[in-house]
Amino acid sequence: MVGAGNIAGPAWDLTSEYPDAESAEVEADLARFDELAAAIEGHNETLLEFLPVATSVEPDSTAIGVAQQIHLLSEQALRLLSNIGNYANCRVSVDSTDEAALRLQGLLQRRRSRYGDALSPLEQFLDRVDDSVVEAYLKGDIASNTRFQVLHRRERRHELLSLEEERLAGALAEDGIHAWGRLYSQLSGTLRCQVDVAGAQREMGIAAVSGLMLRVDDGVRESAWRSINAAWESQIETCTAALNAIAGWRLELCRRRSIKRDVHFLDSPVHANRIERETLDTLMSVAREAVPLAQRVALAQARAYGKARIGPWDGRAPAPSIVEGPPGVVEGPGIAFDEAIAQIREAYGSVRPEMGDFVAMMAERRWIEGTVSDNKRPGAYCTRFMKSKTPRVYTTYTGGMSDVITLAHELGHAFHGWVMRDLPDAQQTYGMSIAETASTFGESVVRDALLEAATDDAARFHILWEDCSALPTFVLNIPARFEFERKFYDLREERPQRPAEIKALMSNAWEAWYGDCLSEPDPMFWASKLHFYISGTSFYNFPYLFGYLFSLGVHAQRERLGADFYEAYVALLRDTGRMTAEELAQKHLGADLTKPDFWRASVASMHSKVEQFEALASELF
Ligand SMILES: [Zn+2]
């Protein structure tokens, strides 16, 4: 039986955490958090006395016991803060008018900054003391679980300025670099575009126009892109000032931090992703080798749309066979939610029955949100409650094929968290470079199963379109962003760049990677892409390429290891919070990420899919 009632997904159950946003249980956790924060602040009075003389602290100093106590309290405080915060966010995601949850979010703001302030003396202390003091701190039960985090952080201690300078730089950043980031967000939220939709002029915000870029109508996508670029063109001096200031701020700090040895602008993003600079260089050189394969996909996509080249508005174009319609409306019967769960369960279960059981458990315990409503926030995510160690998956399920893939993706994240749930809190967070391993793996497993079950060429083409379009995205677009940003930083060392120079730099980067398969470059991409303005993180691009090729590498292990794969996979996921990416790959995949072989094999694993895709594109269009 197929009917609208069966398509929709269920509402999730959050009552295991709190009965309500204004319940006594929430009150109790907030009060407990305040107590813990006050206790940390009390200990800080002692620790702060040691900070100015941190380098002469001895391994038997009383400061070490104080530092351990602060860590212990901070872990409990963070657990509460994150639990209440996730609960409030989950509620607001489902209903943006949930006043009680919105008030709760407000109550957490001040507590979040209080927590950050309370933790800063401990971080400073652990960065500044000698190795022997850190070893004394890590000995014993209290802090030993944080060994990786503490030692990894200390790898950048040569960059430390004096205590006073660090405080000043941190305080000024709020109205300096971060203000530029906020200005950009503000601008992108208020900018209006004049867009031509089916012959009629309409005024729309950037987010709404971006949604048009997912339409199957080539003309709509192109006019959406042109209107977005025209809107940004009207703000070009502002964007230029922001981009120059953000890069200038970071470069100035790098210069000042180059006391013991030169600090490069790539050191920070590479470290934050827990990879080596050598790995990044190898990754980019293999991406270069993979350009012809990615360009073949782009050309086959262009052919399917009846044109010789793709345009810069085609990055997220759907397969041309998809039925056009507003978001949330699915033509035809669609795939019922239970059917989607059954398909994912079977695909996950083909790796190992336990993985299929996990999917069934997520559905049975109602840990998945899939309803459709006007007040829901768009998008999908996976989150985890730190108190109960249970995951939740958020989606708006409308029965489309892409909804099934999204569900498979988020369930992959949930599985990652699930297999880590018994580990110490400190070992449950991982870098962005490997954050998408389990989700992308989950997607591939389900996509492969759907491809195998597909009964006609149109369905096969649709699945392969989704699969193969990752190549132009990750192997052409992401490297173009990276190369642009790197060259921009090099030039910014000399002087701020002018709009015409930045446009030329961006166009050159697009042409260098897309070559002949692109009808025209995207000279305003540096203004329209939010990622260049994230003030807390630079080079928010290469981790996507890393994550894509890394998970293809993991996927390739499935065939190689056969029955032994599942244990190796779970062991790898469990180590993601306590190793660098290189150590992880060496231990669990026997691969050296600083050498090209592993990355080349990932690219090669896409060859046969690209061939099938090309053949179907020629046959169908
Ligand atoms: Zn994800």
Side-chain angles (χ1 to χ4, degrees):
M1 190 182 88
V2 176
N6 288 5
I7 295 293
W12 59 16
D13 179 16
L14 302 175
T15 55
S16 62
E17 304 307 313
Y18 302 104
D20 204 355
E22 283 172 334
S23 58
E25 287 82 347
V26 170
E27 287 292 320
D29 274 1
L30 285 173
R32 178 76 188 125
F33 171 83
D34 292 341
E35 278 168 33
L36 290 163
I40 296 171
E41 285 155 2
H43 286 302
N44 277 345
E45 284 176 27
T46 316
L47 199 63
L48 283 168
E49 285 168 21
F50 286 96
L51 271 192
V53 291
T55 47
S56 55
V57 170
E58 297 283 336
D60 59 357
S61 164
T62 52
I64 292 163
V66 176
Q68 287 170 331
Q69 278 310 309
I70 293 174
H71 165 67
L72 192 65
L73 295 166
S74 74
E75 220 168 29
Q76 297 168 24
L78 182 62
R79 207 174 292 155
L80 295 172
L81 199 59
S82 111
N83 218 70
I84 310 168
N86 280 347
Y87 178 75
N89 290 346
C90 285
R91 295 264 309 236
V92 172
S93 304
V94 176
D95 179 5
S96 58
T97 66
D98 186 334
E99 286 299 327
L102 288 164
R103 274 196 297 276
L104 186 55
Q105 280 186 329
L107 286 173
L108 292 170
Q109 266 178 27
R110 190 174 44 83
R111 289 182 168 89
R112 223 170 258 129
S113 68
R114 184 181 182 185
Y115 179 80
D117 288 345
L119 252 278
S120 144
L122 175 62
E123 288 168 354
Q124 290 278 338
F125 178 79
L126 291 175
D127 280 346
R128 287 175 191 278
V129 293
D130 282 351
D131 289 347
S132 59
V133 178
V134 169
E135 281 307 323
Y137 169 82
L138 293 173
K139 223 163 43 194
D141 290 341
I142 297 179
S144 60
N145 290 328
T146 64
R147 171 169 288 273
F148 175 78
Q149 276 72 13
V150 171
L151 296 186
H152 186 249
R153 224 187 113 96
R154 274 171 68 84
E155 281 170 14
R156 287 182 69 201
R157 63 196 293 263
H158 61 90
E159 298 182 16
L160 283 175
L161 303 170
S162 75
L163 208 52
E164 271 315 306
E165 285 171 319
E166 287 292 349
R167 279 184 187 147
L168 185 63
L172 288 178
E174 217 30 65
D175 288 317
I177 186 169
H178 299 315
W180 288 107
R182 285 196 302 272
L183 172 70
Y184 180 85
S185 304
Q186 209 56 31
L187 207 52
S188 66
T190 49
L191 209 53
R192 309 294 291 173
C193 303
Q194 306 299 325
V195 62
D196 183 350
V197 185
Q201 281 288 321
R202 286 173 60 190
E203 194 185 274
M204 295 166 87
I206 295 272
V209 184
S210 298
L212 297 178
M213 309 259 283
L214 302 168
R215 293 290 187 88
V216 78
D217 185 327
D218 204 10
V220 170
R221 287 199 312 278
E222 181 178 347
S223 91
W225 176 77
R226 293 200 187 282
S227 75
I228 288 174
N229 279 6
W232 283 114
E233 189 81 45
S234 74
Q235 304 293 330
I236 199 161
E237 285 293 350
T238 311
C239 291
T240 301
L243 203 66
N244 275 307
I246 289 170
W249 182 282
R250 290 179 179 138
L251 289 167
E252 181 59 27
L253 271 180
C254 283
R255 258 192 297 280
R256 296 197 177 245
R257 293 186 186 286
S258 301
I259 312 158
K260 295 185 177 136
R261 58 176 190 258
D262 277 355
V263 176
H264 191 265
F265 56 79
L266 280 172
D267 290 356
S268 161
V270 157
H271 180 265
N273 279 283
R274 299 180 182 174
I275 66 172
E276 300 283 337
R277 176 65 189 274
E278 205 185 341
T279 298
L280 174 60
D281 293 342
T282 306
L283 177 69
M284 293 313 295
S285 73
V286 174
R288 190 29 89 192
E289 294 172 12
V291 162
L293 188 69
Q295 289 187 349
R296 276 167 57 189
V297 174
L299 288 173
Q301 288 181 321
R303 189 179 319 132
Y305 269 106
K307 50 190 189 180
R309 299 182 169 95
I310 57 160
W313 51 85
D314 289 330
R316 292 182 300 149
S321 59
I322 292 175
V323 184
E324 173 86 325
V329 176
V330 176
E331 301 282 335
I335 306 157
F337 181 82
D338 290 345
E339 174 58 23
I341 289 293
Q343 283 177 0
I344 298 169
R345 179 186 185 171
E346 195 180 323
Y348 269 48
S350 72
V351 178
R352 183 73 151 251
E354 285 99 307
M355 266 184 88
D357 296 344
F358 168 77
V359 173
M361 179 194 74
M362 288 290 295
E364 273 157 25
R365 298 198 180 175
R366 294 182 47 221
W367 286 347
I368 305 171
E369 162 63 40
T371 61
V372 179
S373 138
D374 286 343
N375 288 335
K376 281 183 78 164
R377 66 156 258 195
Y381 64 81
C382 171
T383 189
R384 203 160 21 135
F385 286 110
M386 292 298 280
K387 278 175 76 182
S388 61
K389 311 274 183 202
T390 61
R392 293 295 186 283
V393 160
Y394 176 90
T395 72
T396 294
Y397 187 83
T398 57
M401 176 74 81
S402 64
D403 288 336
V404 180
I405 297 296
T406 300
L407 205 48
H409 178 100
E410 299 306 333
L411 283 166
H413 282 303
F415 183 74
H416 192 170
W418 186 249
V419 299
M420 292 176 104
R421 68 189 184 284
D422 60 318
L423 297 175
D425 287 6
Q427 295 177 9
Q428 294 198 32
T429 49
Y430 32 80
M432 184 184 169
S433 58
I434 39 176
E436 296 298 333
T437 305
S439 53
T440 315
F441 176 74
E443 255 186 68
S444 329
V445 165
V446 170
R447 214 179 264 130
D448 285 355
L450 291 173
L451 192 60
E452 207 154 293
T455 47
D456 59 276
D457 282 351
R460 267 190 283 277
F461 180 73
H462 191 146
I463 297 160
L464 284 167
W465 177 283
E466 298 273 328
D467 214 346
C468 292
S469 62
L471 275 168
T473 302
F474 293 113
V475 172
L476 304 180
N477 198 277
I478 295 289
R481 296 182 200 184
F482 173 78
E483 205 154 280
F484 161 81
E485 196 166 3
R486 199 176 62 179
K487 286 190 175 147
F488 177 76
Y489 272 71
D490 281 335
L491 293 166
R492 179 66 185 81
E493 295 260 27
E494 279 301 313
R495 61 169 167 81
Q497 297 295 292
R498 296 297 302 144
E501 294 170 317
I502 309 177
K503 281 167 130 179
L505 201 59
M506 185 52 94
S507 291
N508 290 341
W510 276 68
E511 276 156 6
W513 289 86
Y514 282 89
D516 286 341
C517 69
L518 191 69
S519 61
E520 60 186 285
D522 193 346
M524 288 302 287
F525 192 65
W526 57 276
S528 62
K529 195 78 209 167
L530 161 90
H531 292 179
F532 295 118
Y533 299 84
I534 300 176
S535 59
T537 315
S538 61
F539 290 86
Y540 203 81
N541 34 54
F542 70 81
Y544 285 105
L545 170 63
F546 184 105
Y548 173 63
L549 292 183
F550 188 79
S551 54
L552 281 182
V554 169
H555 193 222
Q557 296 294 312
R558 192 184 163 191
E559 236 158 77
R560 202 174 66 85
L561 294 177
D564 296 329
F565 172 75
Y566 181 77
E567 270 83 16
Y569 179 54
V570 169
L572 178 145
L573 293 180
R574 283 174 63 82
D575 274 341
T576 48
R578 53 190 175 202
M579 279 183 193
T580 64
E582 288 84 2
E583 290 166 345
L584 203 61
Q586 192 65 64
K587 179 174 169 189
H588 298 288
L589 307 172
D592 181 352
L593 297 187
T594 63
K595 300 282 184 305
D597 300 12
F598 171 81
W599 305 109
R600 280 181 183 144
S602 292
V603 173
S605 72
M606 287 301 290
H607 267 122
S608 73
K609 279 183 177 160
V610 172
E611 268 160 25
Q612 283 180 65
F613 180 63
E614 284 178 316
L616 281 172
S618 315
E619 194 185 305
L620 293 168
F621 299 93

